[in-house]
Amino acid sequence: MHCIVSVLALAALQVGAQTTEPTFQANNVGGGGRVSKESPHFRIFGASSTQADAAVRELEVAYTCFIGDLGWRSTGLSFNDASNRGPYSKMNIYGVSSLGAAAGQMFSDPRTGYSYLKVVTRYIADPAVTVHEFGHALAYHEKNWVDQQRTGAWWEPMANWVADTFMTSPLCAKARAQYNQPEGRTQIDLNKVIGSSHQTIVDASTGSGNYYQSWPLLTYVTNNPDKYPNLGPTTVREMMRQYKQKSNETPLHALERVAQSTPIQTIIGRYWARMAYVDIGHTQAQQLFQQLKTRINYSNLDSTGSGTYRVKRNRRPLYMGASIIPLKGTGAVTAKVTANAPFTATLAIRSQNGSVRYVDLANGAGEATRASGEEATLVIANTPSSLALYDAFSITGVVAQGLDYQVQLTGATP
Ligand SMILES: *[C@@H]1O[C@H](CO)[C@@H](O)[C@H](O)[C@H]1NC(C)=O
Ligand SMILES: *[C@@H]1O[C@H](CO)[C@@H](O)[C@H](O)[C@H]1NC(C)=O
């Protein structure tokens, strides 16, 4: 894998070393019209000049970060261009008065293989909308997730990850600086991600789903604070490139393939353990957690007496979801978790200075000692021994089965 990464990096360098970037041609895909603003890679229609200026700046930052720096396939290349040699085309973005319930939408033109965006005009300068839709275009031009039912719901966390990375990540800091684009405020919804951590990891159920909120998993595998081999800045791109074509597998299958030697259960278990204190390499999100934590619903357990607890029926972690259980008390803590199915349990211990250490509970059991000022959280993730082929629009069967567990604690109470 290291080999492949360096080959890709080399290819990107060679592109960067070209003396002239290919010229991106204008097209009228999506209808054309009067151009409000044109930039090297985009054309904006139907917006005021102030709105269009902001939109092209944001889109050029996103283009520079994702395609230039992180090596995604260019949105200027036709979907149908198997050689990836061009010609290159600008993407059209249309400001429109209404899109039904949506603020923005990505469209593709199968004949030319180009994508275009429609954005309700008053949102066209809002990166949470326009860069989100550009994220869909990135996914479209990477090709392998297209027309696969089981990737369908994952287009939303992926696009929100693109928008949040654009706004807040050090990975896009160089591109932001190049265009004088200030850092934005994260859209992370910790009340949903942590307060409903028991849900299936990506769940697109109408009304109750988490598919717009579940993107911090993608931030975690991108920032890779655990330094697992093969994970890092290009992981989300690789979850598309290494997606087995026309397999209708889930993106987690692709992540498992990308990660190679690290079991997917370890990755998901540690992701949730790190969400105990939002220790995923995202500074704004971690600060927000410290402000919001007292308002998050942590009501996961019922006492069954003598320091034993059972997970509430409606909080049993579903497929690749978790219970996050802050513990009270000081000094030594022991935890012993038992369940009817495989799980990954971890104690996350946060010191006063904000650093967090993680104690894996082998076979569900383990202990740790909280030093003065340290706090601990027990995290139990439902990590079945093999991945499920599931459609996040239909949470039924194995991915709707909760982990029914009990836990015995000494030295701590939930
Ligand atoms: C927190 O979650 C529990 C378990 O689902 C529920 O019974 C309780 O009403 C919730 N509390 C609040 C304040 O929403
Ligand atoms: C924070 O505290 C922990 C535990 O006392 C220590 O190991 C770590 O080095 C400290 N980190 C910083 C940045 O001071």
Side-chain angles (χ1 to χ4, degrees), residues 98-350:
S98 157
L99 281 171
Q105 203 172 345
M106 191 276 288
F107 295 83
S108 60
D109 177 52
R111 192 183 60 78
T112 59
Y114 294 129
S115 59
Y116 60 101
L117 313 181
K118 289 186 183 177
V119 179
V120 174
T121 309
R122 70 176 177 281
Y123 298 119
I124 207 161
D126 181 353
V129 179
T130 299
V131 179
H132 171 103
E133 299 307 327
F134 175 74
H136 288 319
L138 284 174
Y140 170 74
H141 288 274
E142 278 287 336
K143 303 203 258 193
N144 292 346
W145 281 20
V146 174
D147 289 337
Q148 300 289 290
Q149 179 68 24
R150 295 194 186 106
T151 68
W154 287 69
W155 285 61
E156 297 307 340
M158 183 272 174
N160 269 352
W161 168 81
V162 168
D164 192 81
T165 300
F166 157 88
M167 287 190 265
T168 71
S169 172
L171 289 172
C172 290
K174 186 159 101 15
R176 286 195 301 268
Q178 191 180 329
Y179 294 89
N180 293 318
Q181 173 72 30
E183 184 173 326
R185 299 309 301 168
T186 183
Q187 305 278 304
I188 198 166
D189 184 349
L190 293 172
N191 206 25
K192 179 69 172 176
V193 181
I194 299 177
S196 294
S197 58
H198 61 285
Q199 289 189 297
T200 303
I201 188 132
V202 173
D203 172 343
S205 304
T206 307
S208 62
N210 61 16
Y211 61 143
Y212 283 88
Q213 294 87 22
S214 53
W215 56 267
L217 172 66
L218 302 179
T219 302
Y220 167 68
V221 295
T222 298
N223 291 342
N224 192 23
D226 293 296
K227 302 195 165 44
Y228 293 133
N230 309 314
L231 299 189
T234 58
T235 294
V236 178
R237 186 195 75 189
E238 288 306 302
M239 286 169 69
M240 296 187 180
R241 293 227 175 134
Q242 296 186 44
Y243 182 88
K244 201 197 274 172
Q245 282 181 41
K246 301 193 167 47
S247 62
N248 202 18
E249 64 183 10
T250 72
L252 281 183
H253 290 80
L255 178 58
E256 181 178 55
R257 185 172 305 121
V258 173
Q260 291 188 47
S261 55
T262 311
I264 190 79
Q265 294 80 5
T266 302
I267 295 168
I268 300 296
R270 183 52 67 89
Y271 162 63
W272 284 118
R274 283 187 174 267
M275 286 309 289
Y277 298 103
V278 194
D279 183 28
I280 58 170
H282 192 311
T283 307
Q284 281 190 36
Q286 194 165 41
Q287 288 166 350
L288 202 56
F289 171 71
Q290 291 302 326
Q291 294 162 22
L292 293 181
K293 62 186 178 185
T294 56
R295 281 185 264 156
I296 295 173
N297 192 337
Y298 286 110
S299 177
N300 292 308
L301 302 179
D302 287 321
S303 173
T304 49
S306 319
T308 63
Y309 303 86
R310 185 172 184 183
V311 63
K312 288 182 192 291
R313 173 174 280 276
N314 71 346
R315 301 282 285 193
R316 289 177 186 168
L318 307 187
Y319 178 68
M320 298 294 180
S323 291
I324 296 177
I325 305 159
L327 300 176
K328 298 189 186 82
T330 56
V333 51
T334 71
K336 186 172 190 302
V337 182
T338 50
N340 58 349
F343 62 89
T344 304
T346 312
L347 280 170
I349 299 146
R350 181 181 185 273

